[in-house]
Amino acid sequence: MGGQYRITGDKYPRMRRPRRRGRLVVLTVASAAVLGVGGWGTLQLIDVFTGGGDPASANGTKAACADTVSRTTVPKALPRPGTITVNVLNATTRSGLAQKTADELKKRGFKIGEIGNATKEYDKKVEGTGVLLGPAAALDTSLPVLGTQLADAERRTDPARKGTELDLIIGDGFKTLTTKADADRALTALAEPEATPAPKKNC
């Protein structure tokens, strides 16, 4: 070309592509945002499994665990044999069983009330070792204590029964009371039951 558009000299202008700075900025911001969201999510998961590091939450969990343990190890409040009065009644055709059994129960610390034959409701009608009969309130208190002395006896309650006395009604299957050593162990286990395993918790 000629005229005013003629290129003179030995240096020519270099043609460069325009830099895409805007695109780089967008990519950088997007990467930072993704990393930030990922980190936040990780912290949330850690909080979920650790209780968030909140002292109140941790204390509450420990208190719940301690409460569970305490509720499973508290022994029952049961009456002592010396506070239980037992009527010993014979429902069999064998004579002398009521008196002999009453004497042994007395040696073991129980109070003895009436000694004699069973009423018509039970006389010659008890096939097992015996029946322990008491008021409804005795079901989880004095009846289990007396039950340690005759392990195979049936336990019954009468809602209409008054007072706190219990009846030990001797049946046809009766031979003797539970041995004193076994009865004492049963009494100990009854008063101090083993702790019931509580559900596992992340304490």
Side-chain angles (χ1 to χ4, degrees), residues 30-197:
S31 299
V34 170
L35 291 175
V37 171
W40 180 82
T42 302
L43 289 176
Q44 292 299 312
L45 288 175
I46 293 174
D47 286 345
V48 169
F49 289 104
T50 61
D54 184 1
S57 176
N59 290 336
T61 302
K62 292 180 180 179
C65 293
D67 182 58
T68 299
V69 174
S70 64
R71 283 186 284 106
T72 57
T73 57
V74 174
K76 297 179 181 179
L78 296 172
R80 300 188 309 277
T83 64
I84 300 174
T85 299
V86 184
N87 302 316
V88 184
L89 307 175
N90 187 2
T92 74
T93 56
R94 292 174 287 169
S95 61
L97 282 182
Q99 185 64 58
K100 182 179 180 181
T101 302
D103 291 343
E104 181 61 28
L105 283 176
K106 187 175 182 180
K107 291 179 182 178
R108 299 184 184 188
F110 290 86
K111 291 183 178 180
I112 303 301
E114 179 184 351
I115 302 174
N117 295 323
T119 60
K120 292 182 180 180
E121 181 180 358
Y122 292 98
D123 191 27
K124 301 178 182 64
K125 297 177 183 178
V126 180
E127 297 180 357
T129 57
V131 173
L132 307 181
L133 180 64
L139 181 61
D140 296 320
T141 55
S142 55
L143 271 179
V145 175
L146 180 58
T148 60
Q149 310 302 309
L150 190 57
D152 297 331
E154 179 185 353
R155 301 176 193 177
R156 298 183 186 178
T157 59
D158 182 1
R161 188 181 180 110
K162 304 295 182 181
T164 59
E165 292 185 358
L166 306 180
D167 292 346
L168 189 160
I169 305 171
I170 301 173
D172 292 333
F174 178 86
K175 292 182 179 179
T176 184
L177 292 173
T178 301
T179 63
K180 188 176 185 305
D182 288 342
D184 288 344
R185 281 193 290 269
L187 273 173
T188 300
L190 192 64
E192 300 178 1
E194 295 182 0
T196 303

